[in-house]
Amino acid sequence: MSAHVIADDAEALAVAAALAEEFRAGAAARDAERSLPREELDKLSASGLLAVTVPAEHGGADVTALTLAEIFRLLASADGSLAQIPQSHFAYVNVIRRQGTEEQRKFFFAELLAGRRLGNAQSEAGTKHVQDIRTRLEPQPDGSYLLTGVKHYSTGALFADWIPVLARAEDDNLHVAYVPRQAPGLTVIDDWDGMGQRTTASGTVRLDGVEVPADRVLPHHLTFQGPQLHGAVAQLLHAAIDAGIAAGALAEAAEFVRGKSRPWFESGVDTAAEDPLLIQRIGELALQVRASEALLREAARAVDAARTDLTDDTAAEASIAVAAAKVQAAQTAVEVASALFEVSGTRAALNSLNLHRHWRDARTHTLHDPARWKIQHIGRYVLNGTRPPRHGLL
């Protein structure tokens, strides 16, 4: 596999905008038919976008968090499923950046620059809570490991070249094992049947005694022993996806009202786009979308500021800013995607138009982690100066 190497932030944004327009055209059909976006992901890999956070000393563009968030927002405005697939890819690139040895970074950054994709085998079903990880790395006499467990919601695994697996080692600490997609004993099952984000293939990964060399295992638990941005960056991308879904839904609503809706007979106007009550509602929705995008940019800038001077205080400020952006974007995505039908009228509910994919994607994606806990952390920070906890979900 070979891929273009993106030079800088400006090129990354231009490439993302062009791909978003291309992906938008087939989004409704892909969702309706559950046609998995293998061709689109290959284009994403070949474009070089998946390597834009590779450090400059390893040949990458090392784009800002502001640019990365905008890349995801653009892609999600076109296809909420497609944008979700590489979210974990970038989260686990960050693990390599922070915890990888020089040799591990050299190897994996070369893989990324060649267009290789990272998947995700993180969450488990039936456990006490989301951080109750039971997948095990069993040490072997030669220093390697055997990896055993079952993962769910494994977005990106089906399309990946490498699958990062979150597991506990003998000391019960969390590690990430980077496993080739075709490794013996690793099975990816396409059993995702969510109502939304239908084409993410967020199914099951089974690991039955998978052999993992020692140099493919990174000590993820060390990430959270000091100031860190792992959770903030991961959540920033989730916020960007929600903001993109909201923008995409608003654009479709406006287009529908302009071209297909009828004015209400009491309005006294000739077109729906002249209806003062519809204008009012579209304006209200636009304000919410703009607020989400503004908070997203503010959060990304806070992450970038913390990257240049990482302390407990700057990390906390970044996490709180991202939490605010995520709460706002999640609420906006669900409301705007629902209001699409309110402003467009009965015809918009036709299954053949598949406009409900925006709401289904928004409602499904915003279940990733509860906004109510983010609001709690924001309140504690503002009222008592309590820094948010160090974990990957904030």
Side-chain angles (χ1 to χ4, degrees):
M1 180 183 292
S2 63
H4 173 68
V5 177
I6 288 176
D8 53 30
D9 292 65
E11 184 183 6
L13 291 173
V15 170
L19 282 178
E21 285 308 304
E22 182 177 348
F23 295 161
R24 191 185 315 278
R30 284 193 298 272
D31 176 89
E33 300 163 7
R34 197 176 180 268
S35 176
L36 298 181
R38 296 183 186 275
E39 181 180 345
E40 287 76 16
L41 286 171
D42 285 344
K43 290 180 179 179
L44 193 61
S45 289
S47 75
L49 280 181
L50 296 183
V52 293
T53 58
V54 170
E57 61 266 28
H58 288 271
D62 200 9
V63 301
T64 64
L66 183 63
T67 292
L68 188 62
E70 181 62 6
I71 288 169
F72 271 80
R73 192 195 70 81
L74 287 167
L75 293 175
S77 72
D79 186 333
S81 284
L82 187 54
Q84 175 63 28
I85 293 170
Q87 189 273 338
S88 290
H89 169 98
F90 285 97
Y92 285 105
V93 171
N94 280 344
V95 175
I96 298 168
R97 288 186 63 143
R98 187 171 175 97
Q99 300 303 337
T101 65
E102 182 58 31
E103 284 302 310
Q104 287 170 329
R105 290 195 293 266
K106 182 179 179 181
F107 174 80
F108 279 111
F109 291 153
E111 288 285 281
L112 296 172
L113 289 169
R116 305 282 193 270
R117 295 192 288 267
L118 304 183
N120 149 50
Q122 177 171 294
S123 295
E124 300 179 12
T127 57
K128 185 177 180 180
H129 50 69
V130 70
Q131 293 198 327
D132 181 15
I133 303 298
R134 301 180 184 180
T135 298
R136 306 300 300 192
L137 276 165
E138 301 293 340
Q140 302 303 296
D142 64 356
S144 66
Y145 297 89
L146 287 183
L147 185 58
T148 302
V150 180
K151 298 290 188 175
H152 299 271
Y153 311 117
S154 301
T155 304
L158 189 67
F159 314 108
D161 299 289
W162 292 88
I163 301 178
V165 181
L166 197 60
R168 296 196 183 275
E170 193 176 28
D171 58 7
D172 214 36
N173 284 323
L174 281 176
H175 292 68
V176 177
Y178 289 75
V179 183
R181 166 71 175 80
Q182 303 301 329
L186 186 153
T187 306
V188 180
I189 305 168
D190 180 20
D191 57 358
W192 172 244
D193 65 348
M195 69 173 182
Q197 294 197 304
R198 289 176 172 177
T199 62
T200 59
S202 301
T204 301
V205 171
R206 295 188 178 277
L207 305 137
D208 299 311
V210 178
E211 296 183 8
V212 185
D215 63 357
R216 296 294 178 261
V217 178
L218 280 68
H220 190 35
H221 64 282
L222 297 180
T223 300
F224 306 102
Q225 291 184 5
Q228 52 81 37
L229 296 171
H230 180 82
V233 173
Q235 289 291 304
L236 180 71
L237 301 187
H238 283 303
I241 291 168
D242 290 338
I245 291 172
L250 180 62
E252 287 234 46
E255 181 180 0
F256 199 96
V257 169
R258 285 192 299 267
K260 297 176 182 177
S261 295
R262 297 182 296 179
W264 186 243
F265 70 95
E266 292 176 284
S267 68
V269 297
D270 294 330
T271 68
E274 298 172 286
D275 186 324
L277 298 184
L278 282 180
I279 291 171
Q280 176 73 20
R281 187 64 176 129
I282 289 289
E284 292 168 349
L285 298 175
L287 282 175
Q288 291 189 55
V289 171
R290 284 174 175 262
S292 296
E293 293 171 354
L295 284 175
L296 181 68
R297 290 190 294 270
E298 178 184 282
R301 291 188 182 103
V303 170
D304 283 326
R307 281 179 63 181
T308 63
D309 179 25
L310 187 58
T311 67
D312 283 327
D313 288 336
T314 61
E317 183 58 36
S319 288
I320 292 299
V322 170
K326 179 66 166 60
V327 171
Q328 173 69 22
Q331 293 173 347
T332 299
V334 173
E335 180 171 352
V336 174
S338 176
L340 185 158
F341 303 97
E342 172 194 337
V343 298
S344 300
T346 306
R347 186 181 174 189
L350 292 178
N351 203 48
S352 59
L353 297 177
N354 199 18
L355 292 176
H356 48 69
R357 75 184 184 281
H358 298 290
W359 183 87
R360 289 187 288 100
D361 283 348
R363 183 66 280 180
T364 301
H365 182 254
T366 54
L367 298 175
H368 184 273
D369 51 276
R372 57 187 177 273
W373 274 99
K374 298 185 188 305
I375 295 172
Q376 280 282 312
H377 291 306
I378 294 169
R380 291 171 184 172
Y381 184 74
V382 171
L383 191 60
N384 300 314
T386 304
R387 295 190 189 107
R390 295 171 179 161
H391 59 63
L393 295 172
L394 191 66

